[in-house]
């Protein structure tokens, strides 16, 4: 509102406002002009004619200017988009189709945040039915592993403005609904603040098709700010199965660590232009990989296991 008022009383707009006010004043004083004044009929006609003309002209000028400004803004957007594409084409000497350029722009160039040093630390353990005596579970728990995952990363606001970002994670649910109680978001820590059980519960959601359990929480980030985030969850997996990690935000560097019972072989790959770097084995049953590159949104890392 204040910006609109400032524009209204600046430059050429001020002249239009003055013309409009003169028109209003001429129409308002018309009834108060005494009939005894010399040339009364002509003065009345002048007040009516000039006053109405000034008001109509002011309205028309503002309407034309507003329409012209909208056209100019749309034209400027098209020119900016074309320049951006031309710059890419000039640098890389390649023609970039519009659909691909728009995807790059949406996923990378227009992204307000990014993540750094994402670590996925997973453990596969035998299911302990004694820990879940309060729920009815199937009898074939020996065919499943409990998967515990602790994920940490640094979240960064890449803009020069304050933004609100939704921290979000989803965990795959098992097909057997009797196993749903074994899936849970266990711990969340954001910028040094450990969320209570009530806060975690309020942010926990289940997809409509019951395919995944999720957690969402909005955070306000100052310009250039960064938060350390950690999320721990538990799910249930078959003893020959896989887990997929996919990112929604640009991410720089990833480390995957998996610990499994003896006799379980783990393998991993990345849906990425670069391969995972397997690190030398440490303790028995411990596996570790690095992906020391930038990761685009919707790229992923997959690891799977089987008993030898």
């Amino acid at each position: 509102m204040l910006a609109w008022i400032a524009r209204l009383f600046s430059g050429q707009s001020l002249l239009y406002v003055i013309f409009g006010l003169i028109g209003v004043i001429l129409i308002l004083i018309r009834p108060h002009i005494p009939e005894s004044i010399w040339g009364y009929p002509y003065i009345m006609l002048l007040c009516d004619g000039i006053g109405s003309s000034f008001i109509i002209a002011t309205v028309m000028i503002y309407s034309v200017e507003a329409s012209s400004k909208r056209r100019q803004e749309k034209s400027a957007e098209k020119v900016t988009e074309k320049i951006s594409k031309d710059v890419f084409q000039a640098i890389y000497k390649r023609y970039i189709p519009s659909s691909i350029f728009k995807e790059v722009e949406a996923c990378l160039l227009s992204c307000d945040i990014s993540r750094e040093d994402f670590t996925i630390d997973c453990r596969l353990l035998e299911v302990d039915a004694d820990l879940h005596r309060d729920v009815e579970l199937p009898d074939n728990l020996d065919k499943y592993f409990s998967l515990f995952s602790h994920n940490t990363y640094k979240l960064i606001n890449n803009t020069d403005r304050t933004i609100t970002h939704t921290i979000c994670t989803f965990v795959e649910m098992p097909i057997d609904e009797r196993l749903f109680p074994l899936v849970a978001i266990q711990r969340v820590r954001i910028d040094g603040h450990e969320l209570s059980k009530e806060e975690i519960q309020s942010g926990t959601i289940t997809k409509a098709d019951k395919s995944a359990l999720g957690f969402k929480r909005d955070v306000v980030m100052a310009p250039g700010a960064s938060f350390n985030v950690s999320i721990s969850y538990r799910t249930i997996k078959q003893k020959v199965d896989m887990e997929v990690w996919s990112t929604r935000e640009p991410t720089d560097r990833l480390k995957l660590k998996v610990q499994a019972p003896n006799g379980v072989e783990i393998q991993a790959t990345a849906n990425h232009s670069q391969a995972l770097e397997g690190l030398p084995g440490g303790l028995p049953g411990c596996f570790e990989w690095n992906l020391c590159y930038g990761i685009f949104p919707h790229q992923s890392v997959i690891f799977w296991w089987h008993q030898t």
Side-chain angles (χ1 to χ4, degrees):
M1 184 64 180
L2 291 176
W4 180 83
I5 293 173
R7 290 196 301 270
L8 191 63
F9 290 98
S10 63
Q12 195 172 10
S13 295
L14 180 59
L15 183 60
Y16 302 151
V17 171
I18 293 173
F19 274 115
L21 288 175
I22 291 174
V24 171
I25 291 170
L26 288 173
I27 290 177
L28 289 177
I29 65 170
R30 178 185 176 281
H32 304 286
I33 297 175
E35 295 184 8
S36 58
I37 194 170
W38 182 85
Y40 172 77
Y42 303 106
I43 294 175
M44 295 291 285
L45 288 173
L46 285 174
C47 287
D48 278 341
I50 296 176
S52 301
S53 299
F54 277 20
I55 292 174
I56 292 170
T58 302
V59 172
M60 289 183 63
I61 289 171
Y62 267 112
S63 300
V64 171
E65 277 203 347
S67 176
S68 176
K69 186 175 181 180
R70 283 194 296 269
R71 287 198 301 269
Q72 288 176 358
E73 288 176 350
K74 289 181 180 179
S75 177
E77 288 176 0
K78 291 180 180 179
V79 170
T80 301
E81 181 179 350
K82 188 176 186 304
I83 289 174
S84 299
K85 290 179 62 178
D86 289 346
V87 167
F88 271 77
Q89 291 169 13
I91 293 174
Y92 296 105
K93 307 298 182 185
R94 300 289 186 277
Y95 168 73
I96 303 173
S98 296
S99 59
I100 295 176
F101 183 83
K102 286 179 180 178
E103 185 68 14
V104 172
E105 186 177 34
C107 291
L108 294 175
L109 304 181
S110 301
C111 194
D112 291 338
I113 62 100
S114 63
R115 302 191 288 194
E116 284 185 359
D117 298 319
F118 203 111
T119 299
I120 306 168
D121 192 346
C122 293
R123 288 181 298 143
L124 289 171
L125 300 174
E126 298 287 346
V127 179
D128 189 349
D130 292 337
L131 297 176
H132 309 285
R133 291 179 178 176
D134 55 336
V135 295
E136 183 180 351
L137 297 174
D139 297 329
N140 60 344
L141 289 180
D142 59 331
K143 295 183 178 180
Y144 295 92
F145 282 134
S146 287
L147 186 148
F148 295 87
S149 183
H150 178 64
N151 300 341
T152 62
Y153 59 90
K154 179 185 286 187
L155 183 68
I156 303 170
N157 177 3
N158 296 321
T159 73
D160 57 359
R161 66 183 190 279
T162 299
I163 64 170
T164 298
H165 172 70
T166 301
I167 292 175
C168 179
T169 191
F170 280 96
V171 185
E172 185 182 19
M173 299 285 276
I175 296 175
D176 190 340
E177 293 191 9
R178 292 175 297 174
L179 296 170
F180 283 5
L182 302 184
V183 182
I185 306 296
Q186 295 180 299
R187 296 185 63 184
V188 179
R189 188 178 182 87
I190 302 172
D191 195 28
H193 171 62
E194 184 89 20
L195 271 61
S196 65
K197 290 183 179 179
E198 292 75 19
E199 288 176 310
I200 294 175
Q201 187 62 36
S202 67
T204 300
I205 57 175
T206 302
K207 285 191 173 181
D209 60 1
K210 298 183 179 180
S211 63
L213 181 76
F215 173 81
K216 291 185 176 183
R217 186 176 178 89
D218 289 340
V219 293
V220 178
M221 303 185 71
S226 62
F227 291 168
N228 288 320
V229 178
S230 66
I231 300 176
S232 300
Y233 65 83
R234 178 190 70 220
T235 188
I236 191 84
K237 291 286 186 178
Q238 296 186 43
K239 289 195 171 178
V240 178
D241 211 332
M242 61 187 292
E243 179 76 348
V244 179
W245 172 88
S246 179
T247 180
R248 290 179 174 82
E249 294 89 15
T251 301
D252 185 16
R253 299 182 301 275
L254 178 139
K255 176 175 289 188
L256 170 63
K257 298 188 287 186
V258 184
Q259 184 177 350
N262 290 334
V264 175
E265 181 69 23
I266 307 286
Q267 292 179 293
T269 189
N271 290 322
H272 192 277
S273 61
Q274 303 294 328
L276 288 173
E277 176 191 0
L279 301 181
L283 298 173
C286 294
F287 304 83
E288 190 168 333
W289 296 267
N290 278 346
L291 187 60
C292 300
Y293 304 95
I295 306 169
F296 290 176
H298 311 297
Q299 289 185 325
S300 60
V301 169
I302 305 170
F303 65 96
W304 62 97
W305 56 88
H306 64 92
Q307 293 180 309
T308 57

